[in-house]
Amino acid sequence: MPGTNRQKILLIDSYDSFTFNLADLFQRAVPNSELYIVKNDAITIEELIPHLPSFAAIVVGPGPGSPLRAQDVGIIRHLWHLPREHVIPIFGVCLGLQSLAVEHGATLHRLPVVKHGQISHVKHRNTDLFEGVGTVDAVRYHSLHVTLSLLTCPSLEELAWADDGSENGYVVMALRHRYRPFWAVQYHPESVCTSEGGLHVVKNFWKLAHEFSKGRTQSPVPWDPELPFEGPWPPTRLANKRLSAEVEPAAVKSQVLQDVSLPIPRIAELLSNPSSDDNAIVLDSAAHPGRYSILGCPVPSMIRISHYVGDHHVSVSGKKTTVRYPLGGQSVWDWLSKFMSARHAQGGNPELPFWGGLVGYFSYALGVQTLDIQTSSTSRRHPDVNLVFVERSVVLDQKTHELHIQSMIPDDDEWITQTYNTLREAQASPPSQDSLAAFRAPAVTSIKLPDEQSYREGIKECQEYLFSGESYELCFTAQTRISLPYLDTSSSRARAWALFKRIRLVNPAPYSCFMRLGPSTLISSSPERFLSFSRGGSCQLRPIKGTARKSTVPTRQEAERILGTPKEFAENLMIVDLIRHDLHAVAGMDVRVERLCQVEEYETVWQLVSVIEGEVGAGKGWSVLKSCLPPGSMTGAPKKRSVEILQSLEAEERGIYSGVCGFWDVGGGGDFSVVIRSCMNYQDHSTTPETSASGSDGMSTRSEEVWEVGAGGAITALSEVDAEWDEMVVKLQSVLRSFQ
């Protein structure tokens, strides 16, 4: 068996999105242990029994579904009935408690009032698991609960409970088996908001487990490397090694222009032709708290990298040719990592987040693929990976008003100097401030909104899944299609650029962008940063759940009152706990919540924002991006089951919407935002009228140009159908206003 002679713990994962949080809790409670993780359906009880002597304890983690359904609990139900000689201490959480209880005679019920992301005061007898434990305020994620009686459950003893009053009455929060070393809690000890009932309770379990194991001898068995155990956890952090060490890093050269007042769209028009270029890149911090705006300047040798989920190759397109590179069994992420490793650069300003590199988007479906979920994609419109490699760039620091002109092309001093002079001359006579009157809304042929009745029915279906224990939160969305009159290529591209300039005035946002990547155009006014990672490997995620418009909520005090409700707090907390899990998977124990559910001021809204940070080591930030997709704020929790449910409820594919866009820097850093408050268009002008699509799938045709806008919201057990419909419409209007 790998590792040392430290005692080993087996954590059984029921496809939950809090598993690695629980692993972190046990590592902190039992620091000299080795922890291994296995899916509840990856091994049979017959295969596991011979290896039980290798472990000092088993942890049965939480998960979606019912303890009465075999496919939801897998091997777990058999653990409670092991022959006496194979019994080892077990600690269950949530689904783990429910399984222990029903397997020993308890009755399972639905809670009249679901508790998802709710904090409850847990009462206990200060004995057993709770010996020496003070006041427990614990986070609950459950819609099912168990009831016991001495008549039907003589072997079980209650250890803790919550009094929900008129909502649910008395609810079991912890129990133990009287004759076997089995303990369990209904609440989530691993949640960031559980106090006292987490670390202290797990330490008590470990003490009780040791007392049980005293004097018991079990013959060790050889470790089988073919067993489906993941671990030991946390993973060993490997030093970053460039895959192409023989390639000398490119040198980044730059020049700085001071006191710049030119807006980034004007800079783009001076240095490139975004209204006509095949590939155009503008990342625009159009509002606080965004700081850096980035322009990718085109060069004849610029390449575009694209990939569709399900393909076994990556396409690299230049000015006139496209070459397919077989993946050869590796993932597209591995291919991209090798591509970037061979193009590592140095010498840029360390204060700037971008020196050059890959810029573009990753679709929602690409993230779904990482969850081992079969995607239902039937179109070949927007690629799931769509990136350009930027060698010349301009970075505008909105805070210092410095403009950094950069190139990683050898002997490119002439372009840097020429660009500096062009912008200095333009700076001498800056244009007047843009106004909406300067950018007329495009003529609209039709707008196809989501069907209101169907959307409302979808909300109710989401809640039924929540009430039955399948999910804690579901981000339910729908698509809107806007049809514009067909124009030739040049005129269509010019209209898209004008639309971007109008959107940044109508709905200024910190993570706006304009991207034309081959036939795909994305215009985003996103308020939500998904993930940023530094060149040294420091990662930050900033989920947003909770919004109040300044037009109706003018003061911070009022915003804090409105966004401080149990519903808003629970929505945000659930995603924070999910993101901690995603980040723990890569960063190990080095994860922390820097800010929890705090109100931030934006240009037009107040947002409830949390900040989660972690360390993964230099050059490893991309692995966090891979691990954390799709964004938890756009799925719900647990992520895998929630995505499966949403695929069955949503009428259309999300495409780019709900994915992420941003950059992967040649120095090893990166920054990506969630693709929301955005519109996108696919327009292949090479398509002939006879073979073009009808437009029903969102593809533009020779008779019309179709733009797609996605919008939705997080559905919880506390959601009201009217309010959720209104929220979706408000989000939708933040983009639609620019078409009207």
Side-chain angles (χ1 to χ4, degrees):
M1 188 171 187
T4 66
N5 291 323
R6 295 184 298 175
Q7 290 187 295
K8 296 161 182 70
I9 299 170
L10 180 63
L11 171 54
I12 298 180
D13 174 21
S14 294
Y15 295 92
D16 198 60
S17 287
F18 303 149
T19 298
F20 287 112
N21 299 339
L22 192 57
D24 174 71
L25 177 63
F26 266 80
Q27 280 292 323
R28 288 187 289 117
V30 192
N32 293 318
S33 64
E34 283 187 353
L35 192 140
Y36 292 81
I37 301 172
V38 65
K39 293 287 193 288
N40 69 17
D41 58 357
I43 191 170
T44 66
I45 193 67
E46 292 77 17
E47 292 168 332
L48 179 61
I49 283 177
H51 299 279
L52 287 177
S54 298
F55 298 100
I58 292 176
V59 180
V60 176
S66 166
L68 300 176
R69 204 156 51 219
Q71 62 266 36
D72 291 339
V73 291
I75 195 177
I76 294 170
R77 66 191 188 280
H78 301 295
L79 295 174
W80 316 116
H81 306 293
L82 285 169
R84 185 169 297 277
E85 65 271 20
H86 296 304
V87 168
I88 66 172
I90 301 177
F91 183 84
V93 176
C94 199
L95 181 67
L97 177 140
Q98 294 168 9
S99 178
L100 168 61
V102 298
E103 292 298 326
H104 291 89
T107 305
L108 186 72
H109 310 270
R110 285 191 180 188
L111 285 172
V113 178
V114 173
K115 297 294 181 179
H116 287 160
Q118 306 289 310
I119 299 176
S120 297
H121 178 63
V122 175
K123 300 177 181 179
H124 59 84
R125 297 189 176 93
N126 199 30
T127 59
D128 209 271
L129 279 182
F130 296 90
E131 182 177 354
V133 176
T135 301
V136 176
D137 292 309
V139 175
R140 296 163 62 182
Y141 290 112
H142 67 119
S143 57
L144 306 176
H145 75 113
V146 295
T147 56
L148 319 177
S149 73
L150 281 174
L151 185 63
T152 60
C153 312
S155 61
L156 297 180
E157 178 186 357
E158 297 176 23
L159 299 175
W161 60 95
D163 185 355
D164 288 353
S166 60
E167 291 181 337
N168 301 312
Y170 167 97
V171 182
V172 175
M173 284 290 111
L175 53 80
R176 75 177 182 95
H177 195 285
R178 296 178 189 272
Y179 314 114
R180 291 192 167 201
F182 301 157
W183 294 266
V185 295
Q186 176 63 70
Y187 65 86
H188 281 244
E190 80 286 355
S191 173
V192 69
C193 284
T194 292
S195 65
E196 270 296 295
L199 192 65
H200 200 155
V201 165
V202 172
K203 286 182 176 180
N204 281 346
F205 162 73
W206 191 247
K207 178 182 175 182
L208 292 166
H210 265 276
E211 290 175 357
F212 170 83
S213 300
K214 283 179 183 177
R216 287 171 59 93
T217 58
Q218 293 185 325
S219 302
V221 294
W223 183 257
D224 183 356
E226 298 301 316
L227 289 171
F229 297 150
E230 176 186 344
W233 191 92
T236 302
R237 184 175 296 174
L238 300 175
N240 184 43
K241 295 181 180 179
R242 288 182 45 232
L243 297 175
S244 302
E246 71 280 0
V247 178
E248 227 12 73
V252 180
K253 293 186 177 181
S254 64
Q255 191 168 354
V256 182
L257 183 62
Q258 304 285 345
D259 301 321
V260 174
S261 58
L262 295 169
I264 197 70
R266 178 57 180 154
I267 295 171
E269 291 164 349
L270 288 166
L271 301 183
S272 61
N273 196 348
S275 62
S276 64
D277 288 339
D278 289 340
N279 297 309
I281 293 289
V282 179
L283 302 180
D284 182 19
S285 293
H288 175 79
R291 177 173 176 180
Y292 297 101
S293 292
I294 297 170
L295 168 66
C297 300
V299 296
S301 59
M302 178 177 277
I303 60 172
R304 182 171 68 90
I305 299 170
S306 59
H307 170 74
Y308 290 89
V309 167
D311 282 355
H312 301 290
H313 65 269
V314 171
S315 297
V316 179
S317 303
K319 189 71 175 176
K320 296 181 179 179
T321 61
T322 296
V323 179
R324 289 185 174 184
Y325 292 89
L327 289 173
Q330 65 183 334
S331 72
V332 67
W333 292 101
D334 294 330
W335 191 96
L336 291 171
S337 177
K338 292 177 181 178
F339 177 91
M340 288 297 286
S341 179
R343 289 158 181 80
H344 185 75
Q346 60 187 21
N349 184 335
E351 299 298 317
L352 296 182
F354 184 76
W355 298 339
L358 293 174
V359 186
Y361 70 77
F362 297 100
S363 76
Y364 176 79
L366 185 73
V368 171
Q369 183 188 45
T370 66
L371 300 174
D372 293 326
I373 296 175
Q374 190 68 34
T375 59
S376 57
S377 177
T378 57
S379 72
R380 298 281 292 185
R381 295 181 294 129
H382 304 292
D384 296 298
V385 176
N386 207 356
L387 308 160
V388 292
F389 188 71
V390 173
E391 297 175 282
R392 288 174 174 170
S393 60
V394 168
V395 178
L396 176 61
D397 187 335
Q398 309 278 8
K399 182 178 179 181
T400 65
H401 303 289
E402 293 177 334
L403 190 73
H404 300 261
I405 304 159
Q406 306 177 122
S407 176
M408 51 186 292
I409 299 174
D411 305 317
D412 208 20
D413 294 345
E414 182 179 349
W415 176 82
I416 292 175
T417 301
Q418 184 182 55
T419 300
Y420 178 90
N421 292 334
T422 297
L423 294 174
R424 184 177 61 179
E425 291 173 10
Q427 177 68 12
S429 54
S432 58
Q433 289 290 322
D434 291 336
S435 65
L436 275 180
F439 307 115
R440 289 187 302 169
V444 173
T445 304
S446 65
I447 298 178
K448 184 181 179 182
L449 296 168
D451 179 74
E452 182 173 353
Q453 182 177 351
S454 297
Y455 193 84
R456 288 174 175 272
E457 288 300 318
I459 295 170
K460 294 175 183 177
E461 288 185 73
C462 284
Q463 290 189 309
E464 178 56 30
Y465 280 111
L466 300 177
F467 296 148
S468 63
E470 297 297 318
S471 177
Y472 314 133
E473 175 178 326
L474 290 165
C475 185
F476 184 56
T477 72
Q479 300 285 329
T480 292
R481 290 201 171 92
I482 305 157
S483 297
L484 310 180
Y486 178 84
L487 298 175
D488 61 74
T489 300
S490 177
S491 299
S492 172
R493 290 179 173 181
R495 178 168 61 187
W497 178 247
L499 178 61
F500 164 68
K501 293 195 287 186
R502 181 173 172 84
I503 285 178
R504 75 186 299 271
L505 292 176
V506 170
N507 190 44
Y511 308 108
S512 300
C513 81
F514 178 86
M515 294 183 180
R516 182 183 300 113
L517 302 166
S520 298
T521 300
L522 168 64
I523 301 174
S524 176
S525 56
S526 176
E528 182 174 353
R529 168 184 271 166
F530 173 58
L531 166 69
S532 64
F533 48 93
S534 72
R535 297 180 180 100
S538 297
C539 299
Q540 183 187 86
L541 295 100
R542 295 175 57 88
I544 290 176
K545 281 297 176 189
T547 303
R549 299 199 67 81
K550 283 184 172 179
S551 58
T552 56
V553 185
T555 68
R556 174 178 288 275
Q557 183 178 13
E558 182 70 3
E560 289 175 344
R561 183 186 67 80
I562 290 174
L563 297 177
T565 63
K567 175 184 179 296
E568 301 290 353
F569 180 85
E571 281 186 28
N572 200 294
L573 174 62
M574 282 186 265
I575 301 307
V576 168
D577 278 339
L578 181 153
I579 286 174
R580 289 174 56 231
H581 160 88
D582 284 347
L583 190 50
H584 273 306
V586 182
M589 297 177 69
D590 203 350
V591 175
R592 57 199 175 275
V593 177
E594 291 292 334
R595 299 176 62 189
L596 179 65
C597 297
Q598 294 189 13
V599 173
E600 285 189 356
E601 182 177 7
Y602 289 72
E603 192 79 11
T604 60
V605 296
W606 304 96
Q607 303 272 21
L608 195 63
V609 181
S610 294
V611 177
I612 304 97
E613 296 181 349
E615 303 291 332
V616 296
K620 297 295 182 183
W622 68 271
S623 60
V624 177
L625 180 64
K626 172 188 174 183
S627 175
C628 292
L629 289 176
S633 61
M634 300 306 297
T635 62
K639 187 182 286 187
K640 187 176 190 295
R641 183 66 64 89
S642 296
V643 168
E644 291 170 337
I645 292 169
L646 291 167
Q647 281 190 335
S648 71
L649 294 180
E650 295 179 351
E652 299 170 275
E653 300 168 22
R654 295 192 184 186
I656 306 174
Y657 171 65
S658 298
V660 298
C661 64
F663 65 82
W664 182 347
D665 170 61
V666 289
D671 203 341
F672 290 85
S673 62
V674 182
V675 180
I676 52 176
R677 319 294 197 274
S678 305
C679 58
M680 51 225 68
N681 164 252
Y682 182 92
Q683 194 160 31
D684 187 352
H685 285 275
S686 66
T687 304
T688 63
E690 290 77 14
T691 60
S692 62
S694 66
S696 62
D697 65 350
M699 182 183 290
S700 298
T701 71
R702 289 298 176 94
S703 61
E704 63 180 7
E705 178 178 302
V706 179
W707 288 81
E708 301 165 278
V709 181
I715 309 303
T716 71
L718 298 177
S719 293
E720 297 177 358
V721 174
D722 289 346
E724 292 298 338
W725 167 259
D726 291 344
E727 179 181 335
M728 187 277 291
V729 171
V730 167
K731 292 174 179 177
L732 184 59
Q733 285 298 329
S734 68
V735 178
L736 287 187
R737 287 200 307 271
S738 297
F739 287 89
Q740 298 168 333

